[in-house]
Structures are given as C-alpha cells and as structure tokens.
C-alpha cells in the first residue's frame, strides 16, 4: 500500500468506528437530534408561521409524533422522507440543507431507540423550580 493512501484509509476507518459508536450510544434528543432539526428542518417546520409548510411543526413534540414512529424508523414518515430520492425528499434539494450521512444515521438510531423527546433544559429547569408549593405551617 502506498503511503499516500494511509490518510484516506485512516479517515474511512474512523468514520466506520464513529458510526458503530453512534449505534451503541444512547442518543439524547437535546444534544443530538434537536440541533439537526433546528438546522435542517425548522425553517419550514418550525415556529415561524410565514414559512411553515404542510402544517407540520417539528419543534413541537405533539406535532412531530405524527411523522415519527418510535422504535421503527422504517415506518416513520420522517425517515422515509429523509431517505427519499424523488420530489418527496426532505429537506428539499433547493433549500441546500442536505443532511449528512452521520445526521441521517443519528436520526435512524434515535428512532430505533424509541425516539425519546425532551424539553429544552431551560424549560425543564423552570418547571422544577416552580414545582409544588411547600407545605404550609
């Protein structure tokens, strides 16, 4: 093997090991999934009503659940659309927001792991802080 091929081989090996690591780690919604959705999906499927498409919000769990089948990413409309190679592909090519192979892998593994959703840390913290009232004395 020529020495000039070693960097390419090292890169491919690291990618392979990295994807296997993704499959064995628990995917966290806030750390791993929300950033992908925010970067690639929220422009058309987020809170901005002017740009909202298909009456679908992926920033709201109750809406997103309509296209996510927990435990079965092959049955999830979200994954089906991401993997499509026709005009139904999401995000659409004209948005230039193409998902990377690693992002697709994360979304698929997240689906297999049950598609757990969590609120943003500041919402959870505010709810914990509000909590039940202390007992009266």
């Amino acid at each position: 093997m020529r020495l000039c091929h070693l960097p390419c081989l090292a890169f491919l090996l690291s990618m392979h090991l990295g994807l296997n690591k993704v499959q064995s780690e628990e995917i966290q919604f806030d750390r791993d999934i929300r950033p992908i959705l925010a970067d690639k999906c929220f422009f058309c499927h987020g809170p901005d009503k002017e740009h909202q498409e298909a009456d679908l919000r992926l920033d709201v769990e109750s809406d997103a659940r309509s296209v996510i089948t927990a435990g079965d990413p092959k049955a999830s409309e979200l994954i089906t659309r991401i993997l499509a190679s026709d005009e139904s592909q999401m995000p659409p090519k004209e948005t230039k927001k193409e998902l990377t192979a690693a992002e697709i892998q994360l979304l698929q593994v997240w689906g297999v792991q049950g598609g757990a959703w969590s609120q943003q840390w500041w919402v959870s913290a505010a709810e914990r802080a509000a909590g039940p009232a202390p007992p009266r004395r």
Side-chain angles (χ1 to χ4, degrees):
M1 178 182 308
R2 296 176 53 194
L3 288 178
C4 63
H5 293 298
L6 288 177
C8 292
L9 182 61
F11 173 75
L12 291 174
L13 182 60
S14 69
M15 286 299 294
H16 174 72
L17 293 174
L19 290 180
N20 284 339
K21 183 179 177 191
V22 165
Q23 292 174 343
S24 64
E25 281 186 10
E26 184 174 345
I27 306 299
Q28 294 179 14
F29 181 78
D30 279 333
R31 181 192 71 201
D32 304 311
I33 303 304
R34 188 184 310 270
I36 297 170
L37 297 177
D39 183 43
K40 307 290 172 86
C41 307
F42 285 1
F43 183 78
C44 296
H45 301 292
D48 184 358
K49 290 198 182 291
E50 274 188 47
H51 295 106
Q52 206 170 80
E53 298 287 333
D55 291 325
L56 174 63
R57 288 188 61 178
L58 293 175
D59 64 319
V60 176
E61 181 179 10
S62 58
D63 286 7
R65 288 284 172 209
S66 69
V67 295
I68 298 167
T69 305
D72 188 4
K74 290 181 182 170
S76 294
E77 183 71 16
L78 178 76
I79 300 300
T80 301
R81 291 297 199 86
I82 287 169
L83 296 175
S85 58
D86 59 12
E87 67 278 348
S88 70
Q89 181 183 19
M90 290 291 145
K93 290 189 187 300
E94 62 268 13
T95 65
K96 299 188 183 341
K97 294 275 188 179
E98 189 174 335
L99 291 159
T100 66
E103 290 170 331
I104 292 170
Q105 178 81 12
L106 273 170
L107 290 165
Q108 289 177 310
V109 173
W110 174 65
V112 167
Q113 292 179 358
W117 197 280
S118 61
Q119 295 178 331
Q120 292 183 342
W121 68 267
W122 54 270
V123 174
S124 300
E127 287 175 353
R128 279 194 308 271
R136 295 175 66 109
R137 292 181 188 217

